[in-house]
Amino acid sequence: MEVTDLGQVSQLTGADSPNKTDKYALYGTDLGSMINAEDRTYFVFGDSFGERPPDMTGGGGSLWRSNTIAYTTDKDPADGITFDGMITDEIGLAKELLPSVKVDYDEMTKIPTHGLYANGSLYLYFMSVNHWGDPGKWDVNYAGVSKSTDNGQNWTQMESLKWPGDSNFIQVSPYKVENDDGKSEAEIYFWCIPSGRFGGVQLMKVSESNVENLGEYRYFMGLDDKGDPLWGTDMKKARSVVDDTAGELSVVWNPYLERWLMTYLKEGRGVVIREGLTPWGPWGEALDLVKASDYPGLYAPYMNDRFIGDDGKTIYFSLSLWDPYNVFWFKASLQK
């Protein structure tokens, strides 16, 4: 695989974006992972702020909300993404969906890492951040899940669905795989990394009907003598599928390459992309997608298999920039 024609398409958030999200008191935010649910796509953002000084870098400002969501029915990614609206409170401002304590060394914030649509409901996977440490490092209380049955307006935390803060299953990128036989139910694969940006990628899966049952999640344990995957219930025995320093992970199936694509931030280098033959690999070498030298302060490269061009030869993805602390829309071309 070769990556060419990288380019910034538009800005998604902020007062300077075509979406003018300042009308929702959203002047600065980050992340932007996506959930496809029927004809809608939800864009999920992290720490979000109202008015900010013009020269401010990074998170900060008035009206701090730990997480917000925009939604769209825009199907053409080539000229950017036009939001239909945001999930709002009673006065029309972008609503905090998962409240947090906002106390350092207790629960500083709840950051959504990704989400999915299953069984007619929305599920938002998040991490309860205890403390932001050195750049790329932070401590987490646990990873959890909240559920919405009303199109993202209200969320209920699922107390029985948590992963320990010191586990490798804190930040996730899910993908639902339909079974070819048309009889078996879909399975959801989750590529997972620890808190921070300096761990490797591990893999878990669960059937769609059991997405709310922690005991039904299975963890990749390696390959048997025939090269088939082994799955087990003990997350501590899980094996890595990619050994690297990965931050803000995203994995999709690409129909043009007929391969899995994985993007993540490799601290100090920039955003990289890999292709995989199966969910568990083998995964190819990390290729440069967006260089940190070209876009300082970049992170959180999130793909969505709904937003492609030329049957997958062109991919589109969201990307956060620490300065001006907003989310942008990028594209790149792939060659076999």
Side-chain angles (χ1 to χ4, degrees):
M1 176 178 66
E2 183 184 0
V3 181
T4 61
D5 301 325
L6 172 76
Q8 181 181 312
V9 178
S10 70
Q11 185 170 336
L12 293 180
T13 63
D16 295 332
S17 71
N19 288 312
K20 302 291 183 187
T21 60
D22 54 311
K23 65 189 173 189
Y24 303 104
L26 192 74
Y27 288 74
T29 190
D30 67 352
L31 304 184
S33 63
M34 290 160 266
I35 308 170
N36 296 328
E38 297 175 345
D39 66 334
R40 267 189 183 185
T41 299
Y42 295 85
F43 282 73
V44 186
F45 303 114
D47 285 322
S48 302
F49 299 92
E51 293 187 54
R52 298 154 46 86
D55 57 349
M56 188 171 191
T57 297
S62 66
L63 199 61
W64 176 17
R65 289 141 292 171
S66 287
N67 38 76
T68 54
I69 284 185
Y71 55 88
T72 183
T73 51
D74 190 347
K75 298 297 188 292
D76 181 10
D79 58 353
I81 298 294
T82 301
F83 296 154
D84 295 357
M86 295 195 73
I87 305 298
T88 58
D89 61 17
E90 60 277 0
I91 60 173
L93 305 184
K95 180 181 179 180
E96 181 178 66
L97 307 161
L98 316 179
S100 59
V101 179
K102 296 183 176 60
V103 174
D104 204 5
Y105 294 101
D106 179 355
E107 183 181 67
M108 193 64 178
T109 188
K110 276 194 177 84
I111 299 297
T113 63
H114 226 116
L116 60 94
Y117 181 69
N119 310 308
S121 296
L122 290 167
Y123 294 89
L124 201 51
Y125 289 67
F126 67 88
M127 55 183 173
S128 169
V129 177
N130 176 280
H131 171 70
W132 297 115
D134 295 333
K137 296 182 179 181
W138 53 85
D139 300 322
V140 167
N141 298 312
Y142 63 91
V145 184
S146 284
K147 176 183 180 180
S148 174
T149 57
D150 59 2
N151 301 312
Q153 190 64 37
N154 296 285
W155 296 82
T156 301
Q157 184 168 329
M158 315 200 69
E159 294 297 339
S160 63
L161 199 51
K162 292 181 178 179
W163 288 263
D166 61 354
S167 74
N168 210 102
F169 301 90
I170 300 301
Q171 301 171 81
V172 307
S173 179
Y175 195 94
K176 189 192 298 186
V177 177
E178 306 289 347
N179 279 312
D180 295 335
D181 60 15
K183 300 175 183 177
S184 307
E185 65 174 308
E187 288 191 311
I188 303 167
Y189 287 88
F190 299 80
W191 292 263
C192 309
I193 56 178
S195 63
R197 294 171 174 158
F198 295 101
V201 183
Q202 295 187 353
L203 184 66
M204 65 182 180
K205 70 172 183 174
V206 71
S207 61
E208 182 173 6
S209 64
N210 283 311
V211 71
E212 298 182 16
N213 186 349
L214 183 62
E216 292 298 322
Y217 283 72
R218 296 293 181 265
Y219 304 89
F220 176 71
M221 300 291 179
L223 302 174
D224 65 15
D225 294 340
K226 297 178 181 178
D228 294 325
L230 297 168
W231 302 93
T233 57
D234 187 351
M235 72 181 74
K236 294 180 180 178
K237 294 181 180 178
R239 307 286 280 283
S240 294
V241 297
V242 171
D243 183 17
D244 202 359
T245 54
E248 296 92 51
L249 191 67
S250 181
V251 182
V252 298
W253 173 257
N254 183 273
Y256 163 64
L257 295 174
E258 297 185 296
R259 297 283 192 275
W260 293 95
L261 287 181
M262 176 187 293
T263 53
Y264 55 88
L265 175 68
K266 186 171 174 64
E267 193 77 85
R269 175 173 166 181
V271 169
V272 297
I273 186 168
R274 294 176 183 259
E275 57 179 332
L277 286 176
T278 71
W280 48 91
W283 287 92
E285 64 177 311
L287 305 175
D288 288 324
L289 181 58
V290 191
K291 294 180 180 179
S293 56
D294 295 333
Y295 293 91
L298 81 175
Y299 60 107
Y302 292 118
M303 300 178 289
N304 183 332
D305 61 353
R306 180 172 279 180
F307 297 131
I308 58 174
D310 305 318
D311 298 319
K313 287 184 181 180
T314 301
I315 60 169
Y316 295 85
F317 56 98
S318 60
L319 187 70
S320 297
L321 298 177
W322 191 241
D323 181 10
Y325 195 68
N326 267 301
V327 183
F328 295 79
W329 195 238
F330 277 72
K331 71 171 184 175
S333 296
L334 307 176
Q335 301 295 328
K336 291 182 182 178

